[in-house]
Amino acid sequence: MLQSAGLVEHHSVGTRNLYALAPGGLDLAQRWLVDMWDTALGDFAAETERVIAERESDHQEET
């Protein structure tokens, strides 16, 4: 699975199977992780701001 995803390279030497990280595979994985985390953290920040604004609004109504 890792080989088909381009993350590792496979070489057979006799009866041994040797695997190594594929140079370009990690770049793709890193870009995916950065995009995923950027989206997740952006959503978290937006929700945090919404909750803070809601609490401030509720506090102002009470006073």
Side-chain angles (χ1 to χ4, degrees):
M1 182 189 305
L2 294 175
Q3 184 178 1
S4 64
L7 297 175
V8 297
E9 297 173 344
H10 168 258
H11 302 282
S12 293
V13 178
T15 59
R16 298 174 70 189
N17 291 310
L18 305 175
Y19 295 88
L21 294 174
L26 292 180
D27 293 338
L28 180 62
Q30 180 184 16
R31 278 186 266 135
W32 178 81
L33 285 169
V34 167
D35 289 344
M36 181 198 60
W37 277 109
D38 283 351
T39 301
L41 292 174
D43 291 348
F44 178 75
E47 179 63 11
T48 301
E49 290 173 6
R50 186 194 68 76
V51 168
I52 290 170
E54 183 178 293
R55 288 181 181 173
E56 288 175 350
S57 175
D58 289 348
H59 179 71
Q60 289 176 357
E61 289 176 5
E62 291 175 1
T63 56

